[in-house]
Amino acid sequence: MDQPQNRVFSGVQPTGNLHLGNYLGAIRNFVGLQDTHECIYCVVDMHAITVWQDPKELAANTREVAAAYIAAGIDPERHIVFNQSKVAAHAELAWILNCVARIGWLNRMTQFKDKAGKDREKASVGLYAYPVLMAADILVYRATHVPVGEDQKQHLELARDTAQKFNNDFEAPDFFPQPEPLIMGPATRVMSLRDGTKKMSKSDPSDLSRITMRDSSDDIAKKIRKAQTDPEPLPETLEGLEGRAGADNLVGIYAALAGKSKAEVLAEFAGAQFSVFKPALADLAVEKLSPITNEMKRLMDDRAYIDGVLEKGAARARAIADPVVARVRELVGFI
Ligand code: TYM
């Protein structure tokens, strides 16, 4: 079985409130990899249901993430765009990998601790086993590169450990490659606009904490205007951002949207008050995000098109995944 050298896999959960962190930390980087890699971009609906999802909303949110991928510039003809539940190989490999990965590894996952909260006994078994399904997503395509935001780094390490242990346990050296995380750009961890020490997230109760891919220009401007900062002007150097989480976050967002480094942004705005910087950031955000938001809306109105993309993508995904699972079955000893 040939091992491709440049195969990318990544996914986004259809849990609503797709936000600027998802765009800058992940989706935008997915777009950039299309010229150099063979890309597989998945809407991970099976991950979404590890926490209760209203079925109608799950379907709408699945189409929304697919629309966001395409509106952001992913070409579903050249690359593969599909939703996870259409390709049974993910679930099949996940079960086998559940028997390879160790409970001790899962017990160290910080995202489970955060998401399960205080009442861990009441979390679903799926939420706990989530990182193993994620390993299966990647390994079922024998993907070599995985573009993600920083919060997924620990899950990627678990995927690498699981691949290694599978190869050892079944005496199949190099069968699964070690997938490389690609954590790229100045916005690998976009923070909440209300609290610069907390990650921007889909589940924050405050809508003001995030800019979403559905926000109007007015919403974007309002949220940036109200973003938490401090009374000092912007510093000249990166060191001057230390201990100023809100300011650091806005500079990072500006840099990512402008395609510059944070140092370049500071060189431009050193000494500026937020009364100057925030409107400049709002203008830039509207300029970059509105075309995507508008195109997403247009695509969402064309359900037949989106569903067709997902169906065709799933067929192409199965064509890669099924032979891998067939070989895994042999290695494990299933007849
Ligand atoms: P999800 O749906 O939480 O997030 C999708 C992507 O967005 C990134 N991200 C962020 N980046 C920067 N700043 C933020 N505040 C921010 N919030 C989210 C995430 O790092 C992610 O890249 N487990 C994954 C989905 C997944 C997956 C996979 C990813 C399932 N299987 C296999 C890669 C490979 C998740 O929950 O992403």
Side-chain angles (χ1 to χ4, degrees):
M1 193 173 270
D2 284 347
Q3 171 59 53
Q5 292 310 303
N6 282 309
R7 185 176 285 157
V8 162
F9 180 92
S10 199
V12 174
Q13 294 193 63
T15 38
N17 289 333
L18 199 61
H19 56 68
L20 187 64
N22 301 129
Y23 176 63
L24 294 177
I27 298 174
R28 206 181 58 146
N29 296 331
F30 299 178
V31 176
L33 290 162
Q34 294 181 102
D35 289 335
T36 45
H37 293 68
E38 174 199 344
C39 304
I40 305 172
Y41 294 129
C42 187
V43 186
V44 288
D45 48 6
M46 287 159 63
H47 278 92
I49 64 162
T50 55
V51 173
W52 166 255
Q53 302 295 320
D54 176 86
K56 281 204 184 69
E57 281 176 27
L58 179 65
N61 289 333
T62 299
R63 295 190 177 101
E64 185 178 43
V65 174
Y69 282 171
I70 300 166
I74 291 168
D75 179 350
E77 299 293 324
R78 281 168 58 213
H79 299 277
I80 297 178
V81 171
F82 74 108
N83 58 309
Q84 189 183 25
S85 59
K86 282 196 164 64
V87 179
H90 292 248
E92 190 173 350
L93 182 61
W95 179 258
I96 295 167
L97 297 183
N98 272 331
C99 304
V100 173
R102 304 288 93 181
I103 289 178
W105 303 355
L106 288 176
N107 284 345
R108 287 198 283 276
M109 295 292 116
T110 55
Q111 197 160 80
F112 174 74
K113 290 178 195 162
D114 291 347
K115 285 200 178 172
K118 285 204 183 71
D119 204 354
R120 216 180 279 184
E121 299 274 308
K122 287 215 169 115
S124 73
V125 176
L127 189 67
Y128 183 69
Y130 178 116
V132 182
L133 177 59
M134 184 164 158
D137 297 338
I138 300 165
L139 299 176
V140 85
Y141 301 99
R142 301 168 88 221
T144 53
H145 295 88
V146 185
V148 281
E150 204 179 87
D151 61 346
Q152 297 300 315
K153 202 170 162 189
Q154 197 185 31
H155 290 161
L156 255 294
E157 277 156 21
L158 185 132
R160 291 165 64 92
D161 290 346
T162 306
Q164 176 86 57
K165 182 158 162 45
F166 181 95
N167 293 350
N168 290 346
D169 288 358
F170 296 100
E171 295 175 12
D174 305 326
F175 178 68
F176 285 128
Q178 287 281 287
E180 281 296 328
L182 299 175
I183 300 176
M184 302 183 290
T188 55
R189 188 174 176 82
V190 176
M191 308 307 275
S192 156
L193 298 179
R194 301 304 289 165
D195 177 352
T197 62
K198 271 186 11 200
K199 193 179 67 169
M200 185 178 284
S201 94
K202 293 175 189 149
S203 56
D204 192 312
S206 166
D207 193 44
L208 286 174
S209 70
R210 64 187 157 254
I211 291 172
T212 78
M213 302 299 285
R214 281 189 195 177
D215 281 345
S216 67
S217 307
D218 287 349
D219 291 333
I220 294 175
K222 181 178 84 185
K223 289 176 182 180
I224 292 177
R225 197 168 59 242
K226 294 195 169 206
Q228 177 220 41
T229 44
D230 54 44
E232 301 297 314
L234 282 176
E236 282 173 18
T237 60
L238 289 176
E239 294 78 70
L241 287 173
E242 272 164 32
R244 300 179 64 189
D248 189 18
N249 189 34
L250 295 190
V251 170
I253 293 172
Y254 191 104
L257 288 169
K260 294 183 175 164
S261 66
K262 290 207 282 191
E264 284 170 322
V265 175
L266 290 182
E268 199 178 327
F269 286 98
Q273 298 289 343
F274 283 103
S275 56
V276 173
F277 183 66
K278 281 182 171 178
L281 174 59
D283 287 348
L284 178 65
V286 168
E287 180 197 320
K288 299 287 180 186
L289 299 177
S290 295
I292 302 175
T293 306
N294 293 340
E295 179 63 0
M296 266 175 76
K297 279 205 195 99
R298 195 187 68 75
L299 290 167
M300 291 287 284
D301 286 339
D302 192 351
R303 190 196 274 199
Y305 170 72
I306 295 286
D307 289 3
V309 163
L310 295 175
E311 202 58 62
K312 277 185 230 146
R316 290 163 68 194
R318 276 183 221 116
I320 301 174
D322 287 353
V324 175
V325 170
R327 180 72 188 123
V328 167
R329 294 169 62 97
E330 277 172 14
L331 287 167
V332 170
F334 289 164
I335 56 168

